[in-house]
Coordinates of all heavy atoms in Angstrom, one line a residue:
M128 N 111.5 352.4 74.4 CA 112.0 351.0 74.2 C 112.5 350.8 72.8 O 111.9 351.2 71.8 CB 110.8 350.0 74.5 CG 111.3 348.6 74.5 SD 110.1 347.5 75.4 CE 109.0 347.1 74.1
Q129 N 113.7 350.1 72.8 CA 114.3 349.9 71.5 C 113.8 348.6 70.8 O 113.6 347.6 71.4 CB 115.8 349.8 71.7 CG 116.6 350.0 70.4 CD 118.0 350.3 70.7 OE1 118.5 350.1 71.8 NE2 118.7 350.7 69.7
E130 N 113.6 348.7 69.5 CA 113.0 347.6 68.8 C 114.1 346.5 68.6 O 115.3 346.9 68.4 CB 112.6 348.1 67.4 CG 111.8 347.2 66.6 CD 111.4 347.8 65.2 OE1 110.9 349.0 65.3 OE2 111.6 347.2 64.2
S131 N 113.7 345.3 68.6 CA 114.7 344.2 68.4 C 115.1 344.2 66.9 O 114.2 344.3 66.0 CB 114.1 342.9 68.8 OG 114.9 341.8 68.3
R132 N 116.4 344.1 66.7 CA 116.9 344.1 65.3 C 117.3 342.7 64.9 O 118.0 342.6 63.8 CB 118.0 345.1 65.1 CG 117.6 346.5 65.6 CD 116.9 347.3 64.7 NE 117.7 347.7 63.5 CZ 117.1 348.2 62.4 NH1 115.8 348.3 62.3 NH2 117.9 348.6 61.4
A133 N 117.1 341.7 65.6 CA 117.6 340.4 65.3 C 116.8 339.9 64.0 O 115.6 339.7 64.1 CB 117.4 339.4 66.4
P134 N 117.5 339.7 62.9 CA 116.8 339.3 61.7 C 116.6 337.8 61.6 O 117.3 337.0 62.3 CB 117.8 339.7 60.6 CG 119.2 339.6 61.3 CD 119.0 339.9 62.8
A135 N 115.7 337.4 60.8 CA 115.5 336.0 60.5 C 116.7 335.7 59.6 O 117.3 336.5 59.0 CB 114.2 335.8 59.8
Y136 N 117.0 334.4 59.5 CA 118.2 334.0 58.7 C 117.9 334.4 57.2 O 116.8 334.0 56.7 CB 118.4 332.5 58.8 CG 119.6 332.1 58.0 CD1 120.9 332.4 58.4 CD2 119.4 331.6 56.7 CE1 122.0 332.1 57.6 CE2 120.5 331.2 55.9 CZ 121.8 331.5 56.4 OH 122.8 331.2 55.6
A137 N 118.8 335.1 56.6 CA 118.6 335.5 55.2 C 119.6 334.9 54.3 O 119.5 335.1 53.1 CB 118.6 337.0 55.1
G138 N 120.5 334.1 54.8 CA 121.5 333.5 53.9 C 122.6 334.5 53.7 O 122.5 335.6 54.0
P139 N 123.7 334.0 53.1 CA 124.9 334.9 52.8 C 124.4 336.0 51.9 O 123.7 335.7 50.9 CB 125.9 333.9 52.2 CG 125.4 332.6 52.5 CD 123.9 332.6 52.7
A140 N 124.9 337.2 52.1 CA 124.5 338.3 51.3 C 124.8 338.2 49.9 O 126.0 337.9 49.5 CB 125.1 339.6 51.9
G141 N 123.9 338.3 49.0 CA 124.1 338.4 47.6 C 124.5 337.1 46.9 O 124.9 337.1 45.7
V142 N 124.5 336.0 47.5 CA 124.9 334.7 46.9 C 123.7 333.8 46.6 O 123.1 333.4 47.6 CB 125.9 333.9 47.7 CG1 126.3 332.7 47.0 CG2 127.2 334.8 47.9
A143 N 123.4 333.7 45.4 CA 122.3 332.8 45.0 C 122.9 331.6 44.3 O 123.7 331.8 43.3 CB 121.3 333.5 44.1
T144 N 122.5 330.4 44.7 CA 123.0 329.2 44.0 C 122.4 329.1 42.6 O 121.2 329.1 42.5 CB 122.8 328.0 44.9 OG1 123.5 328.2 46.1 CG2 123.4 326.7 44.2
E145 N 123.2 328.9 41.6 CA 122.7 328.7 40.3 C 122.7 327.2 39.8 O 121.7 326.7 39.2 CB 123.5 329.6 39.3 CG 123.3 331.0 39.6 CD 124.4 331.9 39.0 OE1 125.2 331.3 38.2 OE2 124.5 333.1 39.3
K146 N 123.8 326.6 40.1 CA 124.0 325.2 39.5 C 124.5 324.3 40.6 O 125.4 324.7 41.4 CB 125.0 325.2 38.4 CG 124.4 325.8 37.1 CD 125.3 325.5 35.9 CE 126.6 326.2 36.1 NZ 127.5 326.1 34.9
V147 N 124.1 323.1 40.6 CA 124.6 322.0 41.4 C 125.1 320.9 40.6 O 124.3 320.4 39.7 CB 123.5 321.5 42.4 CG1 124.0 320.4 43.3 CG2 123.0 322.7 43.3
T148 N 126.3 320.5 40.8 CA 126.8 319.3 40.1 C 126.9 318.2 41.0 O 127.4 318.3 42.1 CB 128.2 319.7 39.5 OG1 128.1 320.8 38.6 CG2 128.8 318.5 38.7
I149 N 126.4 317.0 40.6 CA 126.3 315.9 41.5 C 127.1 314.7 40.8 O 126.8 314.4 39.7 CB 124.8 315.5 41.7 CG1 124.1 316.7 42.3 CG2 124.7 314.2 42.6 CD1 122.6 316.7 42.0
E150 N 128.0 314.1 41.6 CA 128.6 312.9 41.1 C 128.1 311.7 41.9 O 128.2 311.7 43.1 CB 130.2 313.0 41.3 CG 130.8 314.0 40.4 CD 132.3 314.0 40.6 OE1 132.9 313.0 40.8 OE2 132.9 315.1 40.5
L151 N 127.5 310.8 41.2 CA 126.9 309.6 41.8 C 127.0 308.5 40.9 O 126.7 308.6 39.7 CB 125.4 309.9 42.1 CG 124.5 308.8 42.6 CD1 124.9 308.4 44.0 CD2 123.0 309.2 42.6
D152 N 127.5 307.4 41.4 CA 127.7 306.1 40.6 C 128.4 306.4 39.3 O 128.0 306.0 38.2 CB 126.3 305.5 40.2 CG 125.6 305.1 41.5 OD1 126.2 304.8 42.5 OD2 124.3 305.0 41.4
R153 N 129.5 307.2 39.4 CA 130.4 307.5 38.3 C 129.8 308.3 37.2 O 130.2 308.3 36.0 CB 131.0 306.2 37.7 CG 131.9 305.5 38.7 CD 132.5 304.2 38.1 NE 133.0 303.4 39.1 CZ 133.5 302.2 38.9 NH1 133.4 301.7 37.7 NH2 134.0 301.5 39.9
T154 N 128.6 308.9 37.5 CA 128.0 309.8 36.5 C 127.9 311.2 37.1 O 127.7 311.4 38.3 CB 126.5 309.3 36.3 OG1 126.6 308.0 35.8 CG2 125.8 310.2 35.3
T155 N 128.3 312.1 36.3 CA 128.2 313.5 36.7 C 127.0 314.2 36.1 O 126.8 314.2 34.9 CB 129.5 314.2 36.3 OG1 130.6 313.6 36.9 CG2 129.5 315.7 36.8
T156 N 126.2 314.9 36.9 CA 125.0 315.5 36.5 C 125.0 317.0 37.0 O 125.3 317.2 38.2 CB 123.8 314.8 37.0 OG1 123.8 313.4 36.7 CG2 122.5 315.4 36.4
T157 N 124.8 317.9 36.1 CA 124.7 319.3 36.5 C 123.3 319.8 36.3 O 122.7 319.6 35.2 CB 125.7 320.2 35.7 OG1 127.0 319.7 36.0 CG2 125.6 321.7 36.2
V158 N 122.7 320.4 37.4 CA 121.3 320.8 37.3 C 121.2 322.3 37.8 O 122.0 322.7 38.6 CB 120.4 319.9 38.1 CG1 120.2 318.6 37.4 CG2 120.8 319.8 39.5
A159 N 120.2 322.9 37.4 CA 119.8 324.3 37.9 C 119.3 324.1 39.3 O 118.6 323.1 39.6 CB 118.8 324.9 37.0
Y160 N 119.7 325.0 40.2 CA 119.3 324.9 41.6 C 118.0 325.6 41.8 O 117.8 326.8 41.3 CB 120.3 325.4 42.5 CG 119.9 325.5 44.0 CD1 119.7 324.3 44.6 CD2 119.7 326.6 44.6 CE1 119.3 324.2 46.0 CE2 119.2 326.6 45.9 CZ 119.1 325.4 46.6 OH 118.6 325.4 47.9
S161 N 117.1 325.0 42.5 CA 115.8 325.6 42.9 C 115.8 326.1 44.3 O 116.1 325.2 45.2 CB 114.7 324.6 42.6 OG 113.4 325.2 42.8
A162 N 115.7 327.4 44.6 CA 115.9 327.9 45.9 C 115.1 327.2 47.0 O 113.9 326.9 46.8 CB 115.5 329.4 45.9
G163 N 115.7 326.9 48.1 CA 115.0 326.2 49.2 C 115.2 324.7 49.2 O 114.9 324.1 50.2
D164 N 115.6 324.1 48.1 CA 115.8 322.7 48.0 C 117.1 322.3 48.7 O 118.1 322.9 48.6 CB 115.9 322.2 46.6 CG 114.5 322.1 45.9 OD1 113.5 322.3 46.6 OD2 114.5 321.8 44.7
T165 N 117.1 321.1 49.4 CA 118.3 320.5 49.9 C 119.1 319.9 48.7 O 118.5 319.7 47.6 CB 118.0 319.4 50.9 OG1 117.3 318.4 50.3 CG2 117.2 320.0 52.1
L166 N 120.3 319.6 49.0 CA 121.1 318.9 47.9 C 120.5 317.5 47.6 O 120.5 317.1 46.4 CB 122.5 318.7 48.4 CG 123.3 320.1 48.5 CD1 124.7 319.8 49.1 CD2 123.4 320.8 47.2
L167 N 119.9 316.9 48.6 CA 119.2 315.6 48.3 C 118.0 315.8 47.4 O 117.8 315.1 46.4 CB 118.8 314.9 49.6 CG 118.1 313.6 49.4 CD1 119.0 312.5 48.8 CD2 117.7 313.1 50.8
Q168 N 117.2 316.8 47.7 CA 116.1 317.1 46.8 C 116.5 317.5 45.4 O 115.9 317.1 44.4 CB 115.2 318.2 47.5 CG 114.5 317.8 48.7 CD 113.9 319.0 49.5 OE1 114.5 320.1 49.5 NE2 112.8 318.8 50.2
T169 N 117.6 318.3 45.3 CA 118.1 318.7 44.0 C 118.5 317.5 43.2 O 118.2 317.4 42.0 CB 119.3 319.6 44.2 OG1 118.9 320.8 45.0 CG2 119.8 320.1 42.9
A170 N 119.2 316.5 43.9 CA 119.6 315.3 43.1 C 118.4 314.5 42.7 O 118.3 314.0 41.5 CB 120.4 314.4 44.1
R171 N 117.3 314.5 43.5 CA 116.1 313.7 43.1 C 115.4 314.4 41.9 O 114.9 313.8 41.0 CB 115.2 313.6 44.3 CG 115.7 312.6 45.3 CD 114.8 312.6 46.5 NE 115.2 311.5 47.4 CZ 114.8 311.5 48.7 NH1 114.1 312.5 49.2 NH2 115.2 310.5 49.5
M172 N 115.4 315.7 42.0 CA 114.8 316.5 40.9 C 115.5 316.3 39.6 O 114.9 316.4 38.5 CB 114.7 318.0 41.2 CG 113.8 318.4 42.4 SD 112.1 317.9 42.1 CE 111.6 319.2 40.9
A173 N 116.8 315.9 39.7 CA 117.5 315.6 38.5 C 117.4 314.2 38.0 O 118.0 313.7 37.1 CB 119.0 315.9 38.8
G174 N 116.5 313.4 38.7 CA 116.2 312.1 38.3 C 117.2 311.1 39.0 O 117.2 309.9 38.6
L175 N 118.0 311.5 39.9 CA 119.0 310.6 40.5 C 118.4 310.0 41.8 O 117.4 310.5 42.3 CB 120.2 311.4 40.9 CG 120.9 312.1 39.8 CD1 122.1 313.0 40.3 CD2 121.4 311.1 38.7
A176 N 119.0 308.9 42.3 CA 118.5 308.3 43.5 C 119.6 308.0 44.4 O 120.1 306.9 44.6 CB 117.8 306.9 43.1
P177 N 120.1 309.1 45.1 CA 121.2 309.0 46.0 C 120.7 308.3 47.3 O 119.5 308.2 47.6 CB 121.6 310.4 46.3 CG 120.5 311.3 45.9 CD 119.6 310.5 44.9
P178 N 121.7 307.7 48.0 CA 121.3 307.0 49.3 C 120.7 308.0 50.3 O 121.1 309.1 50.4 CB 122.6 306.4 49.8 CG 123.7 307.3 49.1 CD 123.1 307.7 47.8
S179 N 119.7 307.5 51.0 CA 119.1 308.3 52.1 C 118.3 307.3 53.0 O 118.0 306.2 52.5 CB 118.2 309.4 51.5 OG 117.1 308.8 50.9
S180 N 118.0 307.8 54.1 CA 117.2 307.0 55.0 C 116.3 307.9 55.9 O 115.1 308.1 55.6 CB 118.1 306.1 55.9 OG 117.3 305.3 56.7
C181 N 116.9 308.4 57.0 CA 116.0 309.1 58.0 C 115.5 310.5 57.5 O 114.4 310.9 57.8 CB 116.8 309.4 59.3 SG 118.1 310.6 59.2
E182 N 116.3 311.2 56.7 CA 116.0 312.5 56.2 C 115.8 313.5 57.2 O 115.1 314.6 57.0 CB 114.9 312.4 55.1 CG 115.3 311.5 54.0 CD 114.4 311.7 52.7 OE1 113.8 312.7 52.6 OE2 114.4 310.7 51.9
V183 N 116.3 313.3 58.4 CA 116.2 314.3 59.5 C 117.6 314.7 60.0 O 117.7 315.4 61.0 CB 115.3 313.9 60.6 CG1 113.8 313.9 60.1 CG2 115.7 312.6 61.3
G184 N 118.7 314.2 59.4 CA 120.0 314.5 59.8 C 120.6 313.7 60.9 O 121.5 314.1 61.6
S185 N 120.1 312.5 61.1 CA 120.6 311.7 62.2 C 121.3 310.4 61.8 O 122.1 309.9 62.6 CB 119.6 311.3 63.2 OG 118.3 311.4 62.8
C186 N 121.1 309.9 60.6 CA 121.7 308.6 60.3 C 123.0 308.6 59.5 O 123.8 307.7 59.6 CB 120.7 307.7 59.5 SG 120.4 308.2 57.8
G187 N 123.2 309.6 58.7 CA 124.4 309.7 57.9 C 124.4 309.0 56.6 O 125.4 309.1 55.8
T188 N 123.3 308.3 56.3 CA 123.2 307.6 55.0 C 123.4 308.4 53.8 O 124.0 308.0 52.8 CB 121.9 306.9 54.9 OG1 121.7 306.1 56.1 CG2 121.7 306.0 53.7
C189 N 122.9 309.7 53.9 CA 122.9 310.6 52.7 C 124.2 311.4 52.6 O 124.3 312.3 51.8 CB 121.8 311.5 52.8 SG 122.0 312.7 54.2
M190 N 125.2 311.1 53.4 CA 126.4 312.0 53.4 C 127.2 311.9 52.1 O 127.2 310.9 51.4 CB 127.4 311.6 54.6 CG 128.0 310.3 54.5 SD 128.9 309.9 56.0 CE 130.4 310.8 55.9
A191 N 127.7 313.1 51.7 CA 128.4 313.3 50.5 C 129.4 314.4 50.8 O 129.3 315.1 51.8 CB 127.5 313.6 49.3
R192 N 130.4 314.5 49.9 CA 131.5 315.5 50.1 C 131.4 316.6 49.1 O 131.2 316.4 47.9 CB 132.8 314.8 50.0 CG 133.9 315.5 50.8 CD 135.1 314.6 51.1 NE 135.6 314.0 49.9 CZ 136.5 314.6 49.1 NH1 137.0 315.8 49.4 NH2 137.0 314.0 48.0
L193 N 131.5 317.8 49.6 CA 131.5 319.0 48.7 C 132.9 319.2 48.3 O 133.9 319.3 49.1 CB 131.1 320.3 49.5 CG 129.6 320.4 50.0 CD1 129.4 321.7 50.6 CD2 128.7 320.1 48.8
T194 N 133.1 319.1 47.0 CA 134.5 319.4 46.4 C 134.6 320.8 45.8 O 135.7 321.2 45.4 CB 134.9 318.3 45.4 OG1 133.9 318.4 44.3 CG2 134.8 316.9 46.0
E195 N 133.5 321.5 45.8 CA 133.5 322.8 45.3 C 132.3 323.5 45.9 O 131.2 322.9 46.1 CB 133.3 322.8 43.8 CG 133.4 324.1 43.1 CD 133.0 324.0 41.6 OE1 133.4 323.0 40.9 OE2 132.3 324.9 41.1
G196 N 132.4 324.8 46.3 CA 131.4 325.5 46.9 C 131.1 325.2 48.4 O 131.9 324.5 49.0
C197 N 130.0 325.7 48.9 CA 129.7 325.4 50.3 C 128.2 325.3 50.5 O 127.4 325.7 49.6 CB 130.4 326.5 51.2 SG 130.2 328.2 50.6
A198 N 127.9 324.8 51.7 CA 126.5 324.6 52.0 C 126.4 324.7 53.6 O 127.4 324.6 54.3 CB 126.0 323.3 51.6
R199 N 125.2 325.0 54.0 CA 124.9 324.9 55.5 C 123.9 323.8 55.7 O 123.0 323.6 54.9 CB 124.4 326.3 56.0 CG 123.0 326.6 55.5 CD 122.6 328.0 56.0 NE 121.3 328.4 55.4 CZ 120.1 328.1 56.1 NH1 120.2 327.6 57.3 NH2 119.0 328.4 55.6
M200 N 124.1 323.2 56.9 CA 123.2 322.1 57.3 C 122.1 322.6 58.3 O 122.4 323.3 59.2 CB 123.9 321.0 57.9 CG 124.7 320.2 56.8 SD 125.5 318.7 57.5 CE 126.9 319.4 58.2
L201 N 120.9 322.3 58.0 CA 119.8 322.7 58.9 C 119.9 321.9 60.2 O 119.6 322.4 61.3 CB 118.4 322.4 58.2 CG 118.2 323.1 56.9 CD1 117.0 322.6 56.2 CD2 118.0 324.6 57.2
N202 N 120.3 320.7 60.1 CA 120.5 319.8 61.3 C 121.7 318.9 61.0 O 121.8 318.4 59.9 CB 119.2 319.0 61.6 CG 119.3 318.2 62.9 OD1 119.9 318.7 63.8 ND2 118.8 317.0 62.9
N203 N 122.4 318.5 62.0 CA 123.5 317.6 61.9 C 123.7 316.8 63.2 O 124.3 317.3 64.1 CB 124.8 318.3 61.5 CG 126.0 317.3 61.6 OD1 125.8 316.1 61.4 ND2 127.2 317.9 61.8
D204 N 123.1 315.6 63.2 CA 123.3 314.8 64.4 C 124.2 313.6 64.0 O 124.2 312.6 64.7 CB 122.0 314.3 64.9 CG 121.1 315.4 65.5 OD1 121.7 316.3 66.0 OD2 119.9 315.3 65.4
A205 N 124.8 313.6 62.9 CA 125.6 312.4 62.4 C 127.1 312.7 62.1 O 127.9 311.8 62.4 CB 124.9 311.9 61.1
L206 N 127.4 313.9 61.7 CA 128.8 314.1 61.3 C 129.6 314.8 62.4 O 129.1 315.6 63.1 CB 128.9 315.0 60.1 CG 128.2 314.4 58.8 CD1 128.3 315.5 57.7 CD2 128.9 313.2 58.3
E207 N 130.9 314.3 62.5 CA 131.8 314.9 63.5 C 132.3 316.2 62.9 O 132.3 316.5 61.7 CB 132.9 314.0 63.8 CG 132.5 312.6 64.3 CD 131.9 312.7 65.7 OE1 132.2 313.7 66.4 OE2 131.1 311.8 66.1
V208 N 132.8 317.1 63.8 CA 133.4 318.4 63.4 C 134.5 318.2 62.3 O 134.5 318.9 61.4 CB 133.9 319.1 64.6 CG1 134.7 320.4 64.2 CG2 132.8 319.5 65.6
D209 N 135.4 317.2 62.5 CA 136.4 317.0 61.5 C 135.9 316.6 60.2 O 136.5 316.9 59.1 CB 137.5 316.1 62.1 CG 137.0 314.7 62.4 OD1 135.8 314.6 62.7 OD2 137.8 313.8 62.4
E210 N 134.8 315.8 60.2 CA 134.2 315.4 58.9 C 133.6 316.6 58.2 O 133.8 316.8 57.0 CB 133.1 314.4 59.1 CG 133.7 313.0 59.6 CD 132.6 312.1 60.0 OE1 131.7 312.4 60.8 OE2 132.6 310.9 59.5
V211 N 133.0 317.5 58.9 CA 132.4 318.7 58.3 C 133.6 319.6 57.8 O 133.5 320.1 56.7 CB 131.6 319.5 59.3 CG1 131.1 320.8 58.8 CG2 130.4 318.6 59.8
A212 N 134.6 319.6 58.5 CA 135.8 320.4 58.1 C 136.4 319.9 56.8 O 137.0 320.6 56.0 CB 136.8 320.5 59.2
E213 N 136.2 318.6 56.6 CA 136.8 317.9 55.3 C 135.8 318.1 54.2 O 136.1 317.7 53.1 CB 137.0 316.4 55.6 CG 138.2 316.2 56.5 CD 138.2 314.7 56.9 OE1 137.4 313.9 56.4 OE2 139.1 314.3 57.7
G214 N 134.6 318.7 54.4 CA 133.7 319.0 53.3 C 132.5 318.0 53.3 O 131.7 318.1 52.4
W215 N 132.4 317.1 54.3 CA 131.2 316.2 54.3 C 130.0 317.0 54.7 O 130.0 317.8 55.6 CB 131.5 315.0 55.2 CG 132.5 314.1 54.7 CD1 133.9 314.1 55.1 CD2 132.4 313.1 53.8 NE1 134.5 313.1 54.4 CE2 133.7 312.5 53.6 CE3 131.3 312.6 53.0 CZ2 133.9 311.4 52.7 CZ3 131.5 311.5 52.2 CH2 132.8 311.0 52.0
V216 N 128.9 316.6 54.1 CA 127.6 317.2 54.5 C 126.5 316.1 54.5 O 126.7 315.1 53.8 CB 127.1 318.3 53.5 CG1 128.0 319.6 53.6 CG2 127.0 317.8 52.1
L217 N 125.5 316.3 55.2 CA 124.3 315.5 55.1 C 123.4 316.1 54.1 O 122.9 317.2 54.3 CB 123.6 315.5 56.5 CG 124.4 314.9 57.7 CD1 123.7 315.2 59.0 CD2 124.8 313.5 57.5
T218 N 123.3 315.4 52.9 CA 122.7 316.1 51.8 C 121.2 316.3 52.1 O 120.6 317.2 51.5 CB 122.9 315.3 50.5 OG1 122.4 314.0 50.6 CG2 124.3 315.3 50.1
C219 N 120.6 315.5 53.0 CA 119.2 315.7 53.3 C 118.9 317.0 54.1 O 117.8 317.4 54.2 CB 118.6 314.5 54.0 SG 119.1 314.4 55.7
Q220 N 120.0 317.6 54.6 CA 119.9 318.8 55.5 C 120.7 320.0 54.9 O 120.7 321.0 55.5 CB 120.5 318.5 56.9 CG 119.7 317.4 57.6 CD 118.3 317.8 57.9 OE1 118.1 318.9 58.4 NE2 117.3 317.0 57.5
A221 N 121.3 319.8 53.7 CA 122.3 320.8 53.3 C 121.6 321.7 52.2 O 121.1 321.2 51.2 CB 123.5 320.1 52.7
L222 N 121.7 323.0 52.5 CA 121.3 324.0 51.5 C 122.6 324.7 51.0 O 123.4 325.2 51.8 CB 120.4 325.0 52.2 CG 119.1 324.5 52.8 CD1 118.4 325.6 53.7 CD2 118.2 324.0 51.7
P223 N 122.7 324.7 49.7 CA 123.9 325.4 49.1 C 124.0 326.9 49.4 O 122.9 327.5 49.4 CB 123.8 325.1 47.6 CG 122.4 324.8 47.4 CD 121.8 324.2 48.7
T224 N 125.2 327.4 49.6 CA 125.3 328.8 49.9 C 126.3 329.5 49.0 O 126.8 330.6 49.3 CB 125.7 329.0 51.4 OG1 126.9 328.3 51.6 CG2 124.7 328.5 52.4
S225 N 126.7 328.8 47.9 CA 127.6 329.5 47.0 C 127.0 329.4 45.6 O 126.0 328.6 45.4 CB 129.0 328.8 47.0 OG 128.8 327.4 46.9
A226 N 127.5 330.1 44.6 CA 126.9 330.2 43.3 C 126.9 328.8 42.6 O 125.9 328.5 42.0 CB 127.7 331.2 42.4
T227 N 127.9 328.0 42.8 CA 128.0 326.7 42.3 C 128.4 325.7 43.4 O 129.2 326.2 44.3 CB 128.9 326.6 41.1 OG1 130.2 327.0 41.5 CG2 128.4 327.4 39.9
V228 N 128.0 324.5 43.3 CA 128.3 323.5 44.3 C 128.6 322.2 43.6 O 127.8 321.9 42.6 CB 127.2 323.3 45.3 CG1 127.5 322.2 46.3 CG2 126.9 324.6 46.1
R229 N 129.6 321.5 44.0 CA 129.8 320.1 43.5 C 129.8 319.2 44.6 O 130.5 319.3 45.6 CB 131.2 320.1 42.8 CG 131.4 318.8 42.0 CD 132.8 318.9 41.3 NE 132.9 317.9 40.3 CZ 132.6 318.0 39.0 NH1 132.2 319.2 38.5 NH2 132.7 317.0 38.1
V230 N 128.9 318.2 44.5 CA 128.7 317.2 45.5 C 129.1 315.8 45.0 O 128.6 315.4 44.0 CB 127.2 317.1 45.9 CG1 126.9 316.3 47.2 CG2 126.5 318.5 46.0
V231 N 129.9 315.1 45.8 CA 130.4 313.8 45.4 C 129.9 312.8 46.4 O 130.2 312.8 47.6 CB 131.9 313.8 45.3 CG1 132.4 312.4 44.8 CG2 132.4 314.9 44.3
Y232 N 129.1 311.8 45.9 CA 128.7 310.7 46.7 C 129.7 309.6 46.5 O 130.0 309.2 45.4 CB 127.3 310.1 46.3 CG 126.1 311.0 46.7 CD1 125.7 312.0 45.8 CD2 125.5 310.8 47.9 CE1 124.6 312.8 46.2 CE2 124.4 311.6 48.3 CZ 124.0 312.6 47.4 OH 122.9 313.4 47.8
E233 N 130.4 309.2 47.6 CA 131.5 308.3 47.5 C 131.1 306.9 48.0 O 130.2 306.7 48.7 CB 132.7 308.8 48.3 CG 133.2 310.1 47.7 CD 134.5 310.7 48.4 OE1 134.8 310.1 49.5 OE2 135.0 311.6 47.9
Ligands
FES479 S1 119.1 310.6 55.4 FE1 119.7 310.3 57.5 S2 121.1 312.0 57.8 FE2 120.3 312.3 55.8

């Protein structure tokens, strides 16, 4: 019998996020990224208070746009495919997947 080779999700090969830049209320803040944190958690760790509500990916209150870098969402019950294609993410569900990420709350 052959062993199953399906791996657990390991993220994009070799890319560790180092910095996250957050634009909120006309202020730009750049912080070191802590592995496993969502973009919303990262913003809070930086002392920011971005909009949020459900924190399970269904209301869209926490949405922001990535203008640099990329992220994957653990859950998305709020954004349409075209919004995601434009760079919108639910920050309560988004884990960065590039070395640097810039998130703009509009
Ligand atoms: S807070 Fe509701 S989708 Fe993020």
Side-chain angles (χ1 to χ4, degrees):
M128 189 160 82
Q129 200 165 11
E130 189 178 316
S131 169
R132 306 278 292 165
Y136 181 79
V142 179
T144 301
E145 293 160 13
K146 283 191 298 186
V147 176
T148 299
I149 301 152
E150 291 184 34
L151 174 68
D152 297 334
R153 297 181 192 172
T154 301
T155 301
T156 307
T157 300
V158 290
Y160 176 68
S161 187
D164 280 358
T165 64
L166 293 176
L167 179 60
Q168 288 168 329
T169 302
R171 287 177 176 160
M172 291 301 286
L175 304 173
S179 66
S180 181
C181 73
E182 300 196 22
V183 293
S185 19
C186 72
T188 305
C189 67
M190 68 191 278
R192 204 159 57 85
L193 292 184
T194 59
E195 185 187 320
C197 44
R199 68 183 178 94
M200 285 186 278
L201 300 169
N202 184 39
N203 171 24
D204 292 330
L206 297 177
E207 302 294 336
V208 172
D209 59 336
E210 292 174 310
V211 174
E213 289 170 6
W215 291 96
V216 292
L217 301 172
T218 59
C219 73
Q220 299 296 309
L222 298 172
T224 57
S225 53
T227 58
V228 176
R229 190 177 193 95
V230 193
V231 181
Y232 286 91
E233 295 182 351

